[in-house]
Amino acid sequence: QHIKAGIFGIESSLRAIHTMMVTLQGPGKELQVDESAFVVGLYQLIHQLQFESDRDEHTLSLVECIETLFLRRVQQQNNRVTAFVLQLANLALHVQPHSALAIISTIRALIHRYKTACDSLFDIEGDMVVGSLSNSSDPLLQDRALLPLWALSQLQFHYHPFLSIFAKKTLAKAPLVPSQRAFQVSNSTCNKTSPERTSKFQI
């Protein structure tokens, strides 16, 4: 409730959600606590981050939450996954390149973990409604058929060469190799734009 009410700061909220998810997947598993409140809280935080001036400072904490919730446990519901993918793609448009790389790396991991659920998001040239996600704060209520990965398609034309390449490979559903995990790409490619390094990144 404190997270949803905005009483905590963003970083504190992300840390609280991460701690609770780790606890519920570990020693707190037997408590059988409904995790929906934490999922909704995290979803709302992603949307809120788009309007925060210090959003880049929270990217890796957000990625850690997403990995814990979706990638280190049994699979989530399909519409919940696709709603998070779309929200993350929108956030990637609003952050610095090193943060966007971490976010897109996370999107790629989600796409390959939940392949069937995410296939419909790649119909970039099909019938689509260009705009934002609905006002619902619950990812289970989002209509994944309305918005393909339009935001990600725009990043193909980003001025940062690593980010442009990464967006193109994500839209091509290229597999994610260990060196392209979120924390690695964020730390190793920030402000590195030489042709030699760009060439090495095309794997």
Side-chain angles (χ1 to χ4, degrees):
Q1 292 181 345
H2 291 317
I3 293 173
K4 293 177 69 175
I7 295 175
F8 295 155
I10 290 180
E11 188 66 25
S12 297
S13 296
L14 290 171
R15 289 299 176 188
I17 290 173
H18 180 259
T19 299
M20 288 304 302
M21 295 310 304
V22 170
T23 301
L24 293 177
Q25 293 172 26
K29 187 176 182 179
E30 300 303 323
L31 296 176
Q32 297 183 340
V33 175
D34 185 5
E35 66 180 24
S36 297
F38 304 109
V39 175
V40 171
L42 181 59
Y43 187 77
Q44 292 174 329
L45 284 173
I46 299 174
H47 178 73
Q48 182 182 344
L49 275 172
Q50 298 178 31
F51 307 99
E52 298 293 330
S53 60
D54 61 346
R55 50 188 171 265
D56 290 282
E57 298 178 13
H58 308 296
T59 301
L60 293 183
S61 294
L62 171 62
V63 166
E64 196 170 16
C65 287
I66 296 294
E67 288 185 348
T68 301
L69 180 61
F70 291 100
L71 301 175
R72 300 175 185 168
R73 53 165 302 154
V74 296
Q75 293 197 345
Q76 292 277 359
Q77 294 167 291
N78 286 351
N79 53 340
R80 178 175 283 175
V81 174
T82 52
F84 268 86
V85 168
L86 290 171
Q87 197 74 281
L88 286 169
N90 286 339
L91 177 60
L93 286 174
H94 297 275
V95 296
Q96 294 296 317
H98 66 282
S99 295
L101 283 165
I103 292 171
I104 296 175
S105 174
T106 305
I107 290 174
R108 283 176 74 170
L110 290 171
I111 287 170
H112 287 282
R113 173 74 187 275
Y114 300 91
K115 184 179 183 301
T116 301
C118 293
D119 275 349
S120 63
L121 299 177
F122 287 85
D123 186 19
I124 301 296
E125 297 180 355
D127 294 334
M128 61 181 289
V129 178
V130 177
S132 60
L133 293 170
S134 74
N135 292 327
S136 174
S137 62
D138 190 340
L140 286 175
L141 301 180
Q142 298 290 353
D143 186 350
R144 62 191 173 101
L146 290 180
L147 282 167
L149 280 172
W150 178 84
L152 192 57
S153 71
Q154 305 310 299
L155 291 172
Q156 296 179 96
F157 311 105
H158 199 278
Y159 71 88
H160 194 290
F162 290 174
L163 184 51
S164 175
I165 292 168
F166 216 49
K168 289 176 182 177
K169 288 186 175 294
T170 301
L171 289 170
K173 301 182 184 180
L176 189 69
V177 300
S179 63
Q180 295 175 335
R181 294 281 303 276
F183 290 89
Q184 282 87 342
V185 295
S186 178
N187 292 330
S188 66
T189 64
C190 181
N191 299 322
K192 297 179 180 179
T193 58
S194 73
E196 179 183 0
R197 286 167 176 160
T198 302
S199 177
K200 290 181 179 179
F201 192 73
Q202 300 184 47
I203 56 178

